[in-house]
Amino acid sequence: MSGKTLKLIKDDPWLEPYASAIEGRHNHAIWKESELTQHGAKTLSDFASGYLYYGLHHTNDGWIFREWAPNATAIYFIGTFNNWEKNESYRLKRIENGNWEILLTEDALHHSDLYKLYIEWEGGASERIPAWCRRVVQDEKTKIFSAQVWNPDKPYKFKYEKFIPKVSPLLIYECHIGMATEEEKIGSYEEFRINVLPRVSRDGYNAIQIMAIQEHPYYGSFGYHVSSFFAASSRFGTPDELKHLIDDAHKLGIAVIMDIVHSHAVKNETEGLGRFDGTPYQYFHSDSRREHPAWDSLCFNYGKDEVIHFLLSNCKFWLEEYRFDGFRFDGVTSMLYYSHGLGENFTNYGDYYNGHQDDDAIAYLTLANRLIHKVNPTAITIAEEVSGMPGLATKFENGGYGFDYRMAMNIPDFWIKTLKEKKDEDWRPSSIWWETTNRRPDEKTISYAESHDQALVGDKTIIFWLIDANMYWHMQVSDNNAAVERGMALHKMIRLVTASTINGGYLNFMGNEFGHPEWIDFPREGNNWSCKYARRQWNLADNSDLKYHFLEDFDKAMLKLIRNVRNFQATPIQKVWDNDGDQILAYMRQDLLFVFNFNPTRSFTDYGFLSPVGKYTVVLNTDAKDFGGNNLNDDKIEHFTQSDPLYESEKKGWLKLYVPARSALVLKRK
């Protein structure tokens, strides 16, 4: 087969010079799947069932535990049941392929018992938390982590097992369970289920993307330094409570996407996989590639079948055990390149096919997507990837890596750069149009105005860049403040132009829809372990005397508009007009006309441009009183195109509108 026969290349002739490289990666993934499935003797799903074999399992005869530790010379099962002491009756037996096993009687272990492994190897020994364990807890006094037996008498049973996401378009509410509470503490799965899920549903989002699910020793890592890949973080509650949360989300029609971290692992040895069996290379690289130069973490060796087995099984586990509806893969750029993308420019196609790419990691990501969609055909996969690697979100059979979406990471970068470096009068609609619509036509993207990273200490959210300290003193509805009015106007416009130009989906980070003030600062030694800034102040948006609710009300109206158009994300988007001098941008999607005036001072009367002939009525206005605007337009007025003989054959006429400064209108053509 020639690489030029792949649809990825047919759709983009500029990729033809790299056809052999694209074909090579494609065939490498095919070969790897064939090798892992014993040339078709079993399925990829069969291969990815390690979680059913390894770890602790309750059986009809008692308990069985297995672990893979090829360098170990002896392994002991220790815990609260034997006073954490080495005991020959709890010594594991070595079986084939570096695996270890122990059979225990029914009364040897009980629900909530704590346990670890004591692993010995040539020249050393240490306690370890099992790699495949499903529950890890931290002692409040000693801060020590241990695995925990989880075998409740009445485990949670799903009520909505065959949930099918209706995500056209995909509207994601990105969230963090621990900081979703208003109190100065770590929030729980139960609190999120009861208090936040209904809010997400009311606001119009059809998916939540949950961060920090996989267990991590340091809370402030935002969940990105994972130690136990199969354990749902116990900081937020029990496995059953997480299942209840997911079940209730499905009841509300909300898909649940997990932020999964397979790009690296925490360096910790007593909590994580570092030197698990005494070797530095069991799961990770053994050379200079072992440690991530920027993240202070360990890099998986995707060339080892055992590592692929571990990670693919992890994908299937979260789908099967918890009924997650898909994954947002973190740090994909770091996986794709030997350099982790650090110091790379990615200015031309040659940068994607210059031999600096990790073909083993590419094969793993490809197989992960194939597995996920085989286990659950309606599952959603999203790649967080900054380099722009072609084919990432293209179907495997077309030559791609199989993700359903990729993050449009250029858009939040553009908005922050604009806010930091440009005066309002220097904003260019042509640049805004380019950044929000510049993407590969064969790949769906998730557009978003700002990332969760921008909410952390050391950076600023969009609302904070716009309003800054004025948020502390001038957010009362009765207070007229120029900085606040400017900030709220641009906050709405930025979100509208970002959300209305999607070709796949739209994402918002929890609280940013109403302009949550201040930064995120997780509890740490430097702030006396305070949760004051690691929470969400929902009361601000619920207080009718404050202006925050105007932003949330607009966000809700914007999403309702988008959801009311069938397959909105797939409708053609056509630029109608842009003028950098006037700072006006207009475009259409089906019968919706979006008109933006980014000019900070000039309002335009009878501003005209050619539009499809018809009658237009205003269906959304960022300047409306209901959204905290100046209400300068009469939205009840109907607008008619004026005929022009020169454009009658094109069925176009002149539409003339009053467009106030710093405002946007959405009109519907009838």
Side-chain angles (χ1 to χ4, degrees), residues 49-172:
S49 297
Y51 64 94
L52 298 175
Y53 179 81
Y54 292 105
L56 180 65
H57 300 278
H58 188 241
T59 71
N60 293 331
D61 300 322
W63 302 86
I64 188 167
F65 176 87
R66 299 187 186 94
E67 190 67 73
W68 175 62
N71 188 56
T73 56
I75 301 179
Y76 296 87
F77 206 70
I78 61 174
T80 51
F81 44 84
N82 62 6
N83 295 317
W84 300 100
E85 295 177 356
K86 282 179 25 178
N87 189 307
E88 285 300 316
S89 61
Y90 286 92
R91 180 169 179 159
L92 277 69
K93 176 184 178 182
R94 186 173 190 126
I95 53 179
E96 74 283 350
N97 301 320
N99 293 319
W100 297 76
E101 179 183 85
I102 188 171
L103 302 176
L104 297 170
T105 60
E106 177 72 27
D107 60 354
L109 297 175
H110 301 89
H111 175 63
S112 78
D113 280 350
L114 302 180
Y115 68 97
K116 290 184 181 180
L117 299 178
Y118 186 82
I119 302 181
E120 297 178 350
W121 56 83
E122 292 293 336
S126 186
E127 293 182 359
R128 293 287 187 262
I129 293 177
W132 297 77
C133 69
R134 303 187 185 187
R135 172 79 170 164
V136 174
V137 295
Q138 183 180 25
D139 185 274
E140 291 186 6
K141 293 182 180 179
T142 65
K143 304 303 180 184
I144 293 174
F145 287 86
S146 302
Q148 185 180 49
V149 177
W150 192 255
N151 187 44
D153 292 336
K154 295 182 179 180
Y156 186 83
K157 293 185 178 180
F158 286 98
K159 300 179 182 65
Y160 301 93
E161 292 193 27
K162 296 182 179 180
F163 173 75
I164 298 177
K166 296 180 180 179
V167 289
S168 183
L170 181 58
L171 303 172
I172 303 173

Side-chain angles (χ1 to χ4, degrees), residues 378-648:
T378 65
I380 299 159
T381 59
I382 305 168
E384 187 234 13
E385 206 283 315
V386 71
S387 77
M389 170 73 78
L392 194 68
T394 300
K395 292 181 179 180
F396 172 73
E397 54 267 30
N398 294 339
Y401 302 167
F403 284 97
D404 297 306
Y405 305 87
R406 66 188 308 156
M407 304 293 291
M409 300 183 72
N410 63 298
I411 297 178
D413 289 346
F414 167 76
W415 285 123
I416 290 301
K417 185 178 179 65
T418 298
L419 292 169
K420 285 182 179 180
E421 301 177 4
K422 291 186 181 293
K423 299 177 181 178
D424 290 5
E425 54 267 31
D426 293 333
W427 287 29
R428 296 291 177 259
S430 59
S431 298
I432 294 170
W433 171 261
W434 169 258
E435 291 292 346
T436 54
T437 62
N438 177 30
R439 56 218 171 197
R440 297 181 61 82
D442 57 341
E443 300 191 48
K444 293 187 292 185
T445 59
I446 302 296
S447 299
Y448 56 120
E450 55 189 325
S451 73
H452 57 248
D453 289 336
Q454 292 161 213
L456 292 168
V457 165
D459 207 335
K460 295 180 181 180
T461 60
I462 283 178
I463 199 69
F464 229 48
W465 277 111
L466 290 167
I467 301 179
D468 212 270
N470 285 289
M471 295 190 73
Y472 297 119
W473 316 108
H474 302 289
M475 289 299 284
Q476 294 82 7
V477 170
S478 59
D479 192 338
N480 295 319
N481 178 275
V484 171
E485 288 186 8
R486 167 187 176 265
M488 290 184 63
L490 290 175
H491 192 272
K492 289 177 284 187
M493 295 177 72
I494 288 170
R495 276 165 159 67
L496 180 60
V497 73
T498 302
S500 62
T501 51
I502 58 173
N503 77 328
Y506 172 74
L507 176 143
N508 166 69
F509 177 67
M510 178 177 70
N512 286 352
E513 72 279 5
F514 66 84
H516 194 284
E518 300 175 331
W519 49 82
I520 298 169
D521 189 13
F522 283 96
R524 55 187 173 85
E525 188 175 2
N527 64 16
N528 199 28
W529 303 102
S530 169
C531 288
K532 183 177 182 179
Y533 297 110
R535 60 192 179 109
R536 296 286 89 173
Q537 299 178 63
W538 306 109
N539 69 92
L540 298 177
D542 296 336
N543 190 336
S544 60
D545 293 328
L546 299 177
K547 295 181 178 179
Y548 297 98
H549 79 87
F550 289 134
L551 298 178
E552 184 172 30
D553 291 344
F554 174 78
D555 195 72
K556 187 184 303 183
M558 177 182 74
L559 296 186
K560 182 179 180 181
L561 177 77
I562 291 172
R563 291 183 69 159
N564 282 344
V565 177
R566 183 177 177 82
N567 292 326
F568 177 87
Q569 79 289 349
T571 59
I573 178 169
Q574 181 66 46
K575 186 198 292 185
V576 172
W577 178 257
D578 73 334
N579 185 305
D580 285 347
D582 296 336
Q583 295 183 272
I584 297 286
L585 172 66
Y587 52 87
M588 290 198 74
R589 298 198 80 150
Q590 276 193 348
D591 292 328
L592 292 180
L593 173 64
F594 298 82
V595 183
F596 294 81
N597 179 6
F598 289 98
N599 200 301
T601 57
R602 293 182 63 193
S603 298
F604 296 94
T605 303
D606 290 337
Y607 196 93
F609 43 76
L610 287 167
S611 303
V613 170
K615 177 178 72 173
Y616 291 78
T617 56
V618 176
V619 292
L620 187 64
N621 180 1
T622 64
D623 192 48
K625 183 179 180 180
D626 289 345
F627 308 134
N630 295 312
N631 212 38
L632 297 178
N633 243 319
D634 184 352
D635 294 343
K636 295 179 182 178
I637 293 177
E638 296 179 332
H639 303 271
F640 297 84
T641 52
Q642 299 174 15
S643 62
D644 187 323
L646 292 175
Y647 300 99
E648 284 182 355

Side-chain angles (χ1 to χ4, degrees), residues 86-348:
K86 282 179 25 178
N87 189 307
E88 285 300 316
S89 61
Y90 286 92
R91 180 169 179 159
L92 277 69
K93 176 184 178 182
R94 186 173 190 126
I95 53 179
E96 74 283 350
N97 301 320
N99 293 319
W100 297 76
E101 179 183 85
I102 188 171
L103 302 176
L104 297 170
T105 60
E106 177 72 27
D107 60 354
L109 297 175
H110 301 89
H111 175 63
S112 78
D113 280 350
L114 302 180
Y115 68 97
K116 290 184 181 180
L117 299 178
Y118 186 82
I119 302 181
E120 297 178 350
W121 56 83
E122 292 293 336
S126 186
E127 293 182 359
R128 293 287 187 262
I129 293 177
W132 297 77
C133 69
R134 303 187 185 187
R135 172 79 170 164
V136 174
V137 295
Q138 183 180 25
D139 185 274
E140 291 186 6
K141 293 182 180 179
T142 65
K143 304 303 180 184
I144 293 174
F145 287 86
S146 302
Q148 185 180 49
V149 177
W150 192 255
N151 187 44
D153 292 336
K154 295 182 179 180
Y156 186 83
K157 293 185 178 180
F158 286 98
K159 300 179 182 65
Y160 301 93
E161 292 193 27
K162 296 182 179 180
F163 173 75
I164 298 177
K166 296 180 180 179
V167 289
S168 183
L170 181 58
L171 303 172
I172 303 173
Y173 196 80
E174 185 183 24
C175 49
H176 184 284
I177 300 296
M179 57 177 287
T181 179
E182 192 157 345
E183 299 176 60
E184 295 184 23
K185 64 171 191 174
I186 296 175
S188 69
Y189 297 124
E190 279 289 277
E191 289 169 322
F192 187 94
R193 179 181 68 84
I194 295 169
N195 301 324
V196 182
L197 269 182
R199 187 182 203 101
V200 174
S201 179
R202 288 195 304 270
D203 283 354
Y205 293 90
N206 54 25
I208 55 174
Q209 180 178 301
I210 311 182
M211 308 170 67
I213 289 296
Q214 294 168 293
E215 192 59 86
H216 45 290
Y218 180 48
Y219 184 48
S221 74
F222 231 147
Y224 291 121
H225 277 196
V226 174
S227 52
S228 297
F229 286 78
F230 291 83
S233 181
S234 60
R235 284 185 183 86
F236 315 133
T238 69
D240 292 49
E241 288 167 344
L242 174 56
K243 292 175 182 179
H244 196 176
L245 186 164
I246 294 171
D247 215 15
D248 274 18
H250 290 165
K251 181 180 179 180
L252 293 169
I254 297 173
V256 186
I257 300 167
M258 177 178 161
D259 204 344
I260 199 167
V261 183
H262 284 178
S263 48
H264 63 138
V266 72
K267 290 172 70 173
N268 302 36
E269 297 178 5
T270 55
E271 293 92 2
L273 300 176
R275 298 185 187 276
F276 184 81
D277 68 351
T279 62
Y281 50 79
Q282 183 182 357
Y283 288 95
F284 311 106
H285 290 286
S286 59
D287 52 17
S288 61
R289 296 180 61 197
R290 182 174 186 265
E291 295 192 16
H292 196 291
W295 294 348
D296 192 35
S297 56
L298 302 179
C299 300
F300 285 108
N301 182 352
Y302 305 103
K304 294 183 70 170
D305 289 353
E306 295 88 350
V307 173
I308 296 181
H309 179 235
F310 181 81
L311 296 176
L312 287 180
S313 296
N314 193 236
C315 294
K316 185 180 176 183
F317 167 78
W318 292 107
L319 291 172
E320 296 272 295
E321 181 70 18
Y322 285 90
R323 301 291 193 269
F324 276 97
D325 300 298
F327 305 99
R328 178 263 203 185
F329 278 74
D330 177 70
V332 170
T333 304
S334 178
M335 300 171 71
L336 294 178
Y337 302 94
Y338 293 131
S339 67
H340 305 292
L342 302 173
E344 303 272 5
N345 292 321
F346 303 112
T347 56
N348 59 73

Side-chain angles (χ1 to χ4, degrees), residues 366-384:
T366 304
L367 295 181
N369 277 291
R370 286 176 62 73
L371 167 74
I372 291 164
H373 291 112
K374 286 179 180 178
V375 173
N376 180 1
T378 65
I380 299 159
T381 59
I382 305 168
E384 187 234 13

